[in-house]
């Protein structure tokens, strides 16, 4: 059957026949993915993560003629959050779905070529819905991570499993939801599980075999390792200094999960991973900065060592997490990186040294700090707005509650922003919300939630929570915004057609003029969009694709906001659009 299908596709001039059958995806192709308009080879539409396409067939003039080309349902009874960014290569779409599924589709018709459904055990512990954010391509493989903390590599043409490796023990709270990235010929992955006291780390593997090459912990005090061909481990230096920023034994279950994956810039040779919240949430138990939690960590891919780190929220007490993507770009003749942190501040750091160059709020309300000191790189904390120590409470069971903004779901969460080298602006899917939060006593227990905090997320405004914002990284100005009633949870893409695309939980894929923010197109996809759009050109036609399916952390953790948006329906499909009159 498979041979027949392949023959049929080749006869039609599609798929394998079109692009020199089975041309292997190489590092060189991935290094140039940002300017490759024929395919989408990596998460971030380029390893740097800018999510910018030079395509302009679809532009502010023509976008009104953008109509559906095809749609594909993920089927089954498995819906929930669909946060996946599709990849496009060799006439095929590779798209992951909820519950650790992946599909290969014909990119011009949407016809299913194969699917792989990972067999998930009972007892997995994903904190924030059964999502997956995408795959990686290398050689003839498509590789993705699963909710039971495994990596699976499949043959791009057949969907057959080529290798499968366990990252860690799901019974201890480990899971994996991020798209892996390929950097300098290595497959780089992180771990999820910061709410269960896992130990965050970045691992490098041989993408063709799954063999471990190095491992770098993102909690200060833990040893890094390199591995030889037989799997023998050699110590490769401790991350930081044991007990320097962590008291007692808490670093042993310190969190700092690298759950959103990373970006890579071949010009610096560095991979940039966000490291999440320190565990537990109750900050009074862990006096100190708690490196490398709530930080960007830049890792030299060749050595597996931390070249620099920048901590957005020292001694994080709000689950501000710090995992958000670090996107490299050029500013004032320098290679720098931008990050819109969950804590509500946008940071610009030197991409080679980590030196803080600029920091400004991109949301309207931040209670926890009055700005970031550009000299020291540290936040100016507002001490009275830190949730209180339960041991100082009347009964020792609950510390004083505070109202904090942003809430822990963040000024921006997992949904990736985009950067346009044309307008020199970032397009940030942001949210305005806060939370009541208090601390409670807690002790680590394997596989149990390790928070030591209670909370309720609350909206700040009656008329909107979400706002897509055009942000100037040089002066910190919000140039324009498009408000949205529900919290934004999908990623953003921008194009040389002077367009910005993003999705809404209300089900719309929207496009706005990148310079002015005027909404010029929208389409109702039938369920909430919580995934980033992509675009590519095939046979002279520009396509725009996005996954639709409401879910993610908001319905599960969103408190009063979850109640406000509980009318939204789940789904699971991919939509692809093209201009109506291009033949
Ligand atoms: Ca967290």
């Amino acid at each position: 059957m498979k041979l027949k299908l392949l023959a049929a596709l080749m006869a039609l001039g599609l798929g394998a026949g079109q692009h020199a059958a089975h041309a292997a995806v190489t590092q060189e192709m991935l290094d140039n993915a940002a300017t490759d308009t024929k395919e989408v080879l990596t998460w971030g539409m380029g390893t740097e993560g800018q999510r910018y396409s030079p395509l302009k067939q679809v532009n502010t003039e023509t976008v009104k003629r953008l109509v559906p080309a095809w749609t594909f349902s993920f089927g089954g009874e498995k819906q929930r959050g669909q946060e996946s960014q599709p990849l496009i290569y060799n006439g095929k779409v590779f798209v992951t779905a909820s519950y650790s599924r992946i599909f290969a589709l014909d990119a011009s018709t949407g016809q299913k070529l194969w699917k792989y459904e990972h067999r998930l055990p009972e007892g997995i512990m994903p904190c924030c819905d059964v999502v997956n954010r995408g795959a990686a391509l290398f050689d003839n493989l498509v590789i993705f991570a699963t909710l039971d903390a495994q990596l699976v590599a499949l043959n791009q043409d057949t969907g057959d499993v080529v290798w499968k490796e366990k990252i860690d023990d799901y019974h201890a709270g480990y899971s994996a939801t991020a798209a892996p990235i390929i950097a300098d010929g290595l497959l780089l992955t992180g771990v999820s599980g910061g709410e269960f006291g896992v130990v965050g780390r970045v691992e490098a593997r041989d993408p063709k075999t799954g063999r471990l090459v190095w491992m770098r912990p993102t909690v200060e005090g833990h040893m890094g390792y390199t591995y030889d061909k037989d799997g023998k481990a050699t110590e490769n230096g401790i991350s930081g200094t044991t007990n320097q920023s962590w008291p007692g034994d808490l670093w042993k279950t310190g969190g700092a999960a690298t759950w959103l994956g990373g970006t890579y810039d071949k010009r610096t040779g560095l991979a940039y991973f966000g490291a999440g919240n320190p565990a537990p949430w109750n900050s009074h138990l862990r006096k100190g900065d708690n490196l490398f939690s709530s930080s960007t960590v830049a890792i030299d891919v060749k050595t597996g060592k931390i070249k620099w780190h920048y901590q957005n929220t020292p001694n994080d007490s709000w689950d501000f997490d710090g995992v958000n993507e670090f996107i490299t770009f050029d500013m004032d003749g320098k290679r720098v990186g931008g990050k819109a942190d969950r804590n509500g501040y946008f940071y610009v750091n030197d991409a080679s040294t980590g030196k803080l160059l600029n920091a400004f709020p991109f949301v309207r309300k931040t209670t926890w700090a009055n700005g970031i000191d550009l000299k020291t790189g540290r936040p100016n904390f507002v001490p009275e707005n830190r949730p209180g120590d339960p041991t100082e409470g009347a009964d020792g069971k609950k510390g004083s509650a505070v109202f904090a903004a942003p809430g822990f779901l963040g000024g921006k969460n997992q949904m990736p922003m985009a950067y346009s080298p044309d307008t020199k602006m970032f397009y940030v899917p942001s949210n305005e919300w806060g939370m009541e939060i208090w601390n409670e006593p807690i002790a680590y227990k394997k596989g149990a939630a390790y928070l030591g905090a209670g909370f309720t997320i609350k909206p700040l405004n009656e008329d909107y929570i979400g706002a897509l914002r055009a942000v100037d990284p040089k002066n910190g100005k919000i140039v324009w915004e498009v408000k949205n009633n529900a919290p934004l949870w999908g990623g953003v893409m921008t194009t040389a057609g002077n367009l910005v695309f993003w999705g809404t939980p209300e089900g719309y894929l929207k496009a706005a003029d990148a310079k002015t923010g005027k909404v010029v197109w929208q389409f109702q996809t039938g369920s909430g969009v919580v995934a980033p759009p992509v675009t590519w050109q095939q046979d002279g036609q520009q396509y725009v694709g996005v996954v639709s399916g409401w879910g993610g952390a908001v319905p599960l953790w969103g408190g009063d906001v979850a109640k406000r948006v509980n009318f939204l329906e789940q789904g699971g499909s991919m939509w692809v659009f093209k201009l109506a009159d291009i033949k």
Side-chain angles (χ1 to χ4, degrees), residues 292-313:
F292 300 91
S293 68
S294 301
S295 301
T296 299
V297 178
I299 300 176
D300 183 330
V301 177
K302 288 210 188 309
T303 64
K305 294 199 167 178
I306 296 173
K307 168 92 181 292
W308 60 259
H309 71 273
Y310 177 79
Q311 191 170 41
N312 305 95
T313 316

Side-chain angles (χ1 to χ4, degrees), residues 156-437:
Q156 289 173 11
D157 296 316
T158 63
D160 292 338
V161 174
V162 175
W163 60 260
K164 199 188 277 190
E165 290 288 333
K166 179 177 160 181
I167 301 171
D168 213 314
D169 179 8
Y170 68 85
H171 296 101
Y174 285 91
S175 60
T177 52
I181 59 163
I182 305 282
D184 200 25
L186 295 173
L187 176 81
L188 303 187
T189 56
V191 294
S192 304
E195 272 57 56
F196 300 97
V198 303
V199 177
R201 64 178 187 259
V202 178
E203 289 183 344
R205 292 170 189 269
D206 179 340
K208 292 176 80 164
T209 63
R211 181 181 70 80
L212 259 182
V213 175
W214 54 253
M215 184 278 283
R216 173 52 49 194
T218 51
V219 180
E220 180 165 48
H222 289 267
M223 182 62 75
Y225 293 93
T226 55
Y227 303 86
D228 70 12
K229 294 236 186 290
D230 302 318
K232 188 169 163 286
T234 305
E235 290 187 352
N236 189 29
I238 291 172
S239 295
T241 306
T242 308
N243 278 141
Q244 186 144 291
S245 64
W246 286 90
D249 283 341
L250 269 81
W251 60 280
K252 292 178 180 169
T253 50
T258 44
W259 61 262
L260 196 49
T263 54
Y264 166 68
D265 192 323
K266 69 174 186 294
R267 287 161 63 174
T268 61
L270 299 174
Y272 305 93
F273 276 72
N277 62 280
W281 285 16
N282 178 352
S283 66
H284 300 279
L285 293 170
R286 39 174 177 74
K287 308 256 186 237
D289 283 355
N290 316 131
L291 293 176
F292 300 91
S293 68
S294 301
S295 301
T296 299
V297 178
I299 300 176
D300 183 330
V301 177
K302 288 210 188 309
T303 64
K305 294 199 167 178
I306 296 173
K307 168 92 181 292
W308 60 259
H309 71 273
Y310 177 79
Q311 191 170 41
N312 305 95
T313 316
N315 194 226
D316 184 354
S317 188
W318 304 268
D319 189 32
F320 284 152
D321 221 281
V323 290
N324 286 357
E325 70 285 2
F326 183 86
I327 298 176
T328 50
F329 67 107
D330 293 319
M331 189 174 98
D332 299 333
K334 258 202 196 112
R335 197 61 169 170
V336 301
K339 176 180 181 179
D341 198 273
R342 257 165 64 175
N343 71 20
Y345 285 88
F346 192 104
Y347 298 82
V348 180
N349 296 77
D350 185 298
S352 300
T353 66
K355 184 180 189 301
L356 183 66
L357 303 172
N358 202 4
F360 51 86
F362 65 94
V363 293
R364 297 225 150 72
K365 187 164 180 158
T366 55
T367 59
W368 66 281
N370 287 327
I372 311 297
D373 185 328
L374 291 183
K375 282 211 182 68
T376 63
R378 294 181 72 86
N380 300 315
F381 282 109
V382 180
E384 61 270 28
N385 285 344
R386 179 180 290 269
D389 185 347
T391 64
E392 290 169 6
D395 58 2
K397 293 208 170 101
K398 183 176 173 183
S400 58
V402 298
F403 186 81
F408 71 87
L409 290 175
K412 177 185 152 315
N413 202 289
Q414 58 82 29
M415 54 288 193
M417 59 186 181
Y419 174 76
S420 169
D422 300 332
T423 64
K424 299 187 166 37
M425 289 195 282
F426 278 89
Y427 299 98
V428 185
S430 64
N431 289 312
E432 298 281 346
W433 45 18
M435 65 179 168
E436 190 181 323
I437 181 168

